[in-house]
Amino acid sequence: MQTHRITTPFGRRPMTLALVKGQLETSSIKEGKSIDKWKVFRDVCQARSTIGIPDRALTVLDALLTFLPCNELTQEGGLVVFPSNLQLSVRAHGIAGTTLRRHLAALVEAGLIVRKDSPNGKRYARRSRTGKLEQAFGFSLAPLLSRAEELAELAQSVAAERRRFQIARENLSLCRRDIRKLICMAVQEGVHGDWALIESRFRALLARIPRTPLLADLEPILENMEMLREEILNQLDLKGNSGKPDGNAVRFDRHVQNSDTESSHELEPACEREEGPNPTDMRPSAKPMKVFPLELVLQACPTISDYAPGGGGSIGSWREIMAAGIIVRSMLGVSPSAYQRACEIMGPENAAVAMACILERAAHITSPGGYLRDLTGKAARGEFSLAAMLMALYRSNAAGRSAGDKGGADARSLPRSR
């Protein structure tokens, strides 16, 4: 629809019908109404995004308010200020003239101030012989007084939305943390399930989070995250379990893992003397290590497939991955005794998984044999989590991972290499 415009007699400043309507509304302010000018200013600052004015316009509005002699906005005290552009620029922290005029126009368009032009277009005041102000031409701050309640409601609405956004962001962070811990716990405990698929769904949800999200962006993602967490809890059959002494459905404890290797086998000779097992290292761990899903192992350690029996380049069973582990052991120079000890402590499947993990990081490991012996000793004492090592490699090799997650964070989850 075409906008009808009217102009001042000098044709200097075009006006829209909306501005004329705003001027008429300010002329009907209730008698005796007053409001603290700085309270209104704070409301305008709070609701700036809703009103649609730039932040520099707030600096200009603040400068205009300083020209009122009192802190109360009242009709009796006068609502028109008439500073020159030079005076206004000084109080607006030296803002340039063109920028000043642009932001004054933005305040007028937003309906926060009204121009009250003189016959010659200048800003000045006419006073009586006694010095009393009779009439002033400049900028009227009457809209701030007439819209005080509306501006306060807008400020409260913005504050409430900001609080909802903060709560949604915090809940999303907590939900992400819970899902990550649940997946790691499920893999570590060997719970049956397609955890690789769940991990991929989890990463797909993370990829949907924008760099600068809004509340409308976070709410659907949070809802999907909570549904995924509910699905994982149901699959783990942990929700509603009242058999625990502490009464909690799920309890997450911080996993403490010593990444410093203190094994005396710093470098393992290529031709190692076959010795009997050390009784201290052969002590069984307090809790047997669980076997992980084969698909998860292959996605975390894809290089092991290159050593599949028969040279097919693919592994389809635990028998094949254990056979590939023996080939990798020989290729990396790990002695049969070290690998046999790992099989006895971890189990043959997990020993093959450990070799697959070492193969993935072979470029960073000086002595694969000494590294495997160190992991075996820690596993015997219950100080080593193969799940954390495997999940770190899985995250680093996962397709479509974000650039911020690459490298350091996942590598730190691995035990320190020799």
Side-chain angles (χ1 to χ4, degrees):
M1 185 177 67
Q2 185 178 3
T3 302
H4 299 279
R5 294 178 179 270
I6 61 175
T7 61
T8 60
F10 294 92
R12 296 169 61 104
R13 301 183 181 94
M15 298 179 64
T16 63
L17 292 178
L19 293 179
V20 175
K21 181 181 178 181
Q23 294 180 16
L24 294 176
E25 290 176 352
T26 58
S27 62
S28 58
I29 299 176
K30 184 178 179 180
E31 186 177 355
K33 182 179 181 180
S34 65
I35 190 72
D36 186 279
K37 64 180 181 182
W38 299 121
K39 180 182 182 305
V40 179
F41 179 71
R42 287 192 296 270
D43 291 339
V44 173
C45 294
Q46 187 87 348
R48 178 181 67 85
S49 58
T50 304
I51 298 173
I53 56 174
D55 53 354
R56 296 295 297 277
L58 296 176
T59 304
V60 177
L61 180 61
D62 175 72
L64 287 172
L65 289 172
T66 61
F67 286 97
L68 281 178
C70 59
N71 287 334
E72 294 292 323
L73 290 175
T74 59
Q75 284 186 314
E76 291 77 8
L79 295 172
V80 178
V81 292
F82 42 92
S84 65
N85 282 351
L86 179 60
Q87 292 174 319
L88 194 53
S89 175
V90 170
R91 295 203 185 184
H93 310 293
I95 192 171
T98 55
T99 307
L100 176 66
R101 288 189 291 271
R102 184 171 68 253
H103 290 309
L104 285 171
L107 292 173
V108 173
E109 290 289 339
L112 297 177
I113 62 174
V114 173
R115 297 184 188 271
K116 187 175 181 182
D117 287 337
S118 64
N120 62 0
K122 303 294 183 180
R123 301 175 205 149
Y124 62 90
R126 181 180 296 114
R127 299 180 182 274
S128 63
R129 292 182 178 180
T130 59
K132 183 179 179 180
L133 184 65
E134 292 182 341
Q135 194 172 13
F137 301 97
F139 297 105
S140 174
L141 302 175
L144 295 178
L145 180 59
S146 64
R147 300 179 59 188
E149 294 80 5
E150 176 194 351
L151 295 173
E153 292 178 1
L154 288 176
Q156 292 174 5
S157 176
V158 170
E161 184 174 1
R162 185 179 293 116
R163 176 174 173 79
R164 288 197 301 270
F165 173 79
Q166 183 69 22
I167 292 175
R169 188 170 61 178
E170 291 174 354
N171 289 338
L172 182 60
S173 298
L174 293 174
C175 192
R176 289 173 58 181
R177 190 182 307 168
D178 289 350
I179 292 176
R180 170 59 62 203
K181 290 182 178 180
L182 284 170
I183 293 176
C184 290
M185 181 186 67
V187 173
Q188 187 174 3
E189 296 295 328
V191 179
H192 177 72
D194 193 350
W195 300 110
L197 177 60
I198 292 177
E199 172 80 10
S200 64
R201 290 171 54 191
F202 175 55
R203 290 203 160 273
L205 288 175
L206 293 180
R208 290 172 50 189
I209 302 177
R211 184 177 295 273
T212 54
L214 301 175
L215 180 62
D217 300 322
L218 293 184
E219 286 179 339
I221 298 175
L222 175 59
E223 183 179 356
N224 290 331
M225 283 277 191
E226 291 175 342
M227 290 175 61
L228 180 60
R229 180 175 60 183
E230 190 79 9
E231 179 181 340
I232 295 174
L233 288 173
N234 291 334
Q235 189 165 349
L236 293 174
D237 196 21
L238 293 174
K239 194 171 183 181
N241 183 10
S242 58
K244 300 280 185 179
D246 57 2
N248 292 332
V250 182
R251 179 179 177 181
F252 299 118
D253 293 326
R254 182 181 297 274
H255 174 69
V256 180
Q257 177 176 322
N258 182 11
S259 62
D260 294 329
T261 55
E262 299 175 353
S263 174
S264 60
H265 304 275
E266 176 64 26
L267 295 176
E268 182 177 64
C271 298
E272 184 182 8
R273 186 175 66 243
E274 298 292 339
E275 299 178 357
N278 188 336
T280 303
D281 290 343
M282 288 301 298
R283 289 181 302 173
S285 59
K287 186 175 182 180
M289 298 181 71
K290 303 296 183 180
V291 179
F292 305 97
L294 180 61
E295 183 181 358
L296 175 65
V297 175
L298 294 178
Q299 292 188 12
C301 308
T303 311
I304 193 67
S305 298
D306 298 337
Y307 301 88
S314 62
I315 292 177
S317 66
W318 278 107
R319 181 182 300 273
E320 293 179 353
I321 198 172
M322 286 189 289
I326 296 175
I327 297 174
V328 171
R329 174 202 69 74
S330 177
M331 186 267 296
L332 293 179
V334 178
S335 66
S337 63
Y339 189 71
Q340 178 63 26
R341 190 170 300 179
C343 290
E344 292 172 353
I345 296 296
M346 303 181 187
E349 295 87 355
N350 287 327
V353 173
M355 288 306 308
C357 293
I358 293 175
L359 177 63
E360 288 294 321
R361 304 193 67 222
H364 307 284
I365 298 176
T366 305
S367 173
Y371 190 64
L372 181 62
R373 283 187 179 277
D374 187 69
L375 296 184
T376 303
K378 289 184 177 181
R381 297 189 299 270
E383 299 174 357
F384 169 61
S385 171
L386 186 58
M389 186 177 186
L390 193 64
M391 289 305 297
L393 287 172
Y394 175 82
R395 289 194 295 271
S396 65
N397 292 329
R401 61 170 309 197
S402 61
D405 293 336
K406 289 183 179 178
D410 294 332
R412 285 194 297 270
S413 299
L414 297 172
R416 184 176 300 171
S417 60
R418 287 289 184 185

